[in-house]
Each structure stands twice: as structure tokens, then as C-alpha cells.
Amino acid sequence: MLLLMVGNLIIIPVGITFFKDEHTPPWIVFNVVSDTFFLMDLVLNFRTGIVKEDNTEIILDPQQIKIKYLRSWFVVDFISSIPVDYIFLIVETRIDSDFYKTARALRIVRFTKILSLLRLLRLSRLIRYIHQWEEIFHMTYDLASAMVRIVNLIGMMLLLCHWDGCLQFLVPMLQDFPADCWVSKNKMVNDTWGQQYSYALFKAMSHMLCIGYGMYPPVGMTDVWLTILSMIVGATCYAMFVGHATALIQSLDSSRRQYQEKYKQVEQYMSFHKLPADMRQRIHDYYEHRYQGKMFDEESILGELN
């Protein structure tokens, strides 16, 4: 499920944005398999036990599981599992009038592309599954848990960059590539999807890292607001990454950090009283021998045990 969700969150935006014909056999097979698995997962969630927050009890009563799931994530999971593009495809093929069909076709395609983005709500499932893996690793390996958190954060930032790059191209495409948009200015309307995606990703990352606007600054109001959105998302990701990395480094070896803070006070105390060098060395050796680079509140820890 993790691999399938990651594949969906990466492939679906690319397919919606850069491929005009979305009804090729590989695309249909991929979507049918994905939708089938997610609908199965939706049903199985009504029969999956729920671990309580204090980890002391597991709810196995189907009625309680159903009520809890309906009140929490059911709506998001259900919306993200609706095969929107196939519903519109069936509606479109059932229309008899050629004139009406031609007039409505473009609007239906655009509307389908926008509604297909609802599948990206599957991100909520991905976050939940990763959180479960974090808890498993945290119970066994502290360092592994820290690494999972860092990889999780970097992966989420890369995924947001990917989505932003697709959005940079999707909005001008839905507007039929106006003359002042970056795609028309760079003469990339008829280029391959790889070239279009590469430049869209470069433009998105330039905005998110606040290092420029690509080759052209934003011109139209749509481009301006897209740039503002990218900058806000980028600044938020950067602040989150710095905060998580700092907290992680501090929590990795708290006892060693506590020892260093304690010994820094001892050094300042010896400096304030102008103790001789040999005395300072003896005190340093004593602290190294006594605590061996780590400091614990041993009395408090032993006092809490029965």
C-alpha cells in the first residue's frame, strides 16, 4: 500500500498535467488497479482493529471500529477513491449529439482534470501509514526512528516540489496557454513532456527556495498568485526542516548534551576563580572518569522504579 500510494502521488499529477490522451491502456490499467486496491483498503478499514492512544487496549468490536472510522478518515478516503475520470468518460460517450459533444468536450476534459486531483487526498493515508512505521521503529530502534523521520520530511518536501512543478504547467494549460504565460514565452507548448516537466520543476524550486523566478518574472495575475503560493509553501517547508532537524539532533544524545552543558558550567566556574592549570586538569580528568561523557539523573531514575 505504501509503494502504491507513493506511485499514485507521483504519477497521477504528471499524467493529468503533461499527457493529453489519458485513456491509453497503461494509464487505464494503472488507474483501475490503484482504484481497486484503495476501495479494498476502504472496506478493510471497517474490519481492522484500532489501537488506543495509551497502547493498552485494541478495539476489535466491528461496531465501534465502524463508528470511529466514519467519524475520522472515511470521508477523505472515500473521496480520494472515486474514479472521477471514468465516470466523466462514460457520461461523455453516452452523449448522442455530435455538436453538443464537441462543445462540451473541452470543458469536460478540464473539469475532469481538476476533479482528478482529488486523488491526491490519498496523501492522508500515506502520512498515517508512515506514522505507524515510525511508531514500530521507535519501539525498537531510536536511531532508526530518527532516520525515518528525516527521510519522511525530505520525501514530503520533494513531493511538494513535484506537485508545485506540475501545478506551474497545469494552470497555463487549463487557460489554453495565454501569450504572456511562461510556457508560451519559452516556446515550450509543443515540446516533449520531459522538457516541459523539467523546466516547470526548475521554476517551482526557484520559487520555493526564493532564489529567483526562472527566466521570466511573473506577469499575469494567475502567475503572480502561483508564485506567492510557491514561496509560502517553500518557506514553510524550510522552517519545518530546520526545526525538525534541530529537535532531532538535540534528542539523539540528550545525556551527552547534558554532560557538555554541565562541564561548560564547571569550566566557567574554574575560570572565574582563576584555578591553576594542574588543578583544572585534575578536575577535568575526574569528570571524564566519573561520568564518561554522559550524565544521568540516576537518583531520580532509580527512585521511579519499584
Side-chain angles (χ1 to χ4, degrees), residues 63-128:
Q63 189 67 21
Q64 291 185 37
I65 294 170
K66 182 177 75 173
I67 293 169
K68 193 168 181 64
Y69 184 51
L70 287 171
R71 287 178 178 175
S72 55
W73 291 102
F74 172 75
V75 176
V76 176
D77 290 350
F78 179 73
I79 292 172
S80 67
S81 301
I82 298 173
V84 178
D85 44 357
Y86 299 114
I87 294 171
F88 274 94
L89 182 63
I90 293 167
V91 171
E92 192 180 348
T93 52
R94 293 289 174 89
I95 298 172
D96 296 326
S97 170
D98 290 335
F99 174 76
Y100 180 76
K101 188 174 179 179
T102 306
R104 294 282 293 171
L106 191 61
R107 291 184 182 178
I108 286 175
V109 168
R110 288 178 179 176
F111 194 52
T112 304
K113 284 182 180 294
I114 293 170
L115 285 181
S116 295
L117 294 174
L118 290 172
R119 290 179 175 178
L120 300 183
L121 290 172
R122 291 169 183 172
L123 179 67
S124 64
R125 295 191 192 190
L126 182 67
I127 293 170
R128 276 176 275 159

Side-chain angles (χ1 to χ4, degrees), residues 165-217:
C166 294
L167 187 66
Q168 295 288 337
F169 190 86
L170 179 65
V171 173
M173 185 192 67
L174 293 175
Q175 296 175 333
D176 288 330
F177 300 114
D180 61 345
C181 76
W182 68 269
V183 185
S184 300
K185 284 185 175 182
N186 290 314
K187 299 177 182 177
M188 300 183 70
V189 177
N190 298 316
D191 284 352
T192 62
W193 76 269
Q195 291 173 312
Q196 292 170 343
Y197 172 74
S198 299
Y199 197 87
L201 186 64
F202 165 71
K203 185 176 173 65
M205 294 192 76
S206 298
H207 296 167
M208 291 180 73
L209 297 173
C210 299
I211 58 173
Y213 304 104
M215 289 181 67
Y216 301 101

Side-chain angles (χ1 to χ4, degrees), residues 85-288:
D85 44 357
Y86 299 114
I87 294 171
F88 274 94
L89 182 63
I90 293 167
V91 171
E92 192 180 348
T93 52
R94 293 289 174 89
I95 298 172
D96 296 326
S97 170
D98 290 335
F99 174 76
Y100 180 76
K101 188 174 179 179
T102 306
R104 294 282 293 171
L106 191 61
R107 291 184 182 178
I108 286 175
V109 168
R110 288 178 179 176
F111 194 52
T112 304
K113 284 182 180 294
I114 293 170
L115 285 181
S116 295
L117 294 174
L118 290 172
R119 290 179 175 178
L120 300 183
L121 290 172
R122 291 169 183 172
L123 179 67
S124 64
R125 295 191 192 190
L126 182 67
I127 293 170
R128 276 176 275 159
Y129 280 124
I130 290 176
H131 182 64
Q132 289 175 6
W133 278 100
E134 280 183 8
E135 288 184 345
I136 292 168
F137 278 119
H138 186 66
M139 286 188 290
T140 50
Y141 306 107
D142 194 32
L143 185 60
S145 172
M147 290 303 297
V148 166
R149 269 186 248 157
I150 285 288
V151 171
N152 180 19
L153 188 62
I154 293 172
M156 201 63 67
M157 289 171 64
L158 291 174
L159 184 63
L160 286 173
C161 288
H162 172 70
W163 283 6
D164 194 12
C166 294
L167 187 66
Q168 295 288 337
F169 190 86
L170 179 65
V171 173
M173 185 192 67
L174 293 175
Q175 296 175 333
D176 288 330
F177 300 114
D180 61 345
C181 76
W182 68 269
V183 185
S184 300
K185 284 185 175 182
N186 290 314
K187 299 177 182 177
M188 300 183 70
V189 177
N190 298 316
D191 284 352
T192 62
W193 76 269
Q195 291 173 312
Q196 292 170 343
Y197 172 74
S198 299
Y199 197 87
L201 186 64
F202 165 71
K203 185 176 173 65
M205 294 192 76
S206 298
H207 296 167
M208 291 180 73
L209 297 173
C210 299
I211 58 173
Y213 304 104
M215 289 181 67
Y216 301 101
V219 179
M221 284 302 296
T222 308
D223 206 8
V224 168
W225 280 104
L226 267 178
T227 305
I228 291 172
L229 178 65
S230 298
M231 288 180 164
I232 291 172
V233 171
T236 306
C237 285
Y238 179 74
M240 284 178 62
F241 181 77
V242 171
H244 275 265
T246 305
L248 187 63
I249 291 167
Q250 287 184 343
S251 65
L252 277 177
D253 202 347
S254 61
S255 59
R256 183 177 293 278
R257 183 170 47 82
Q258 190 175 346
Y259 170 78
Q260 289 171 346
E261 289 176 358
K262 177 69 176 177
Y263 189 71
K264 186 64 69 176
Q265 291 182 14
V266 174
E267 282 185 328
Q268 291 174 358
Y269 173 81
M270 292 189 296
S271 176
F272 178 75
H273 285 285
K274 299 182 177 60
L275 297 182
D278 57 339
M279 176 68 77
R280 295 190 189 191
Q281 186 61 44
R282 286 173 62 196
I283 292 174
H284 171 76
D285 293 342
Y286 170 78
Y287 266 86
E288 284 291 320

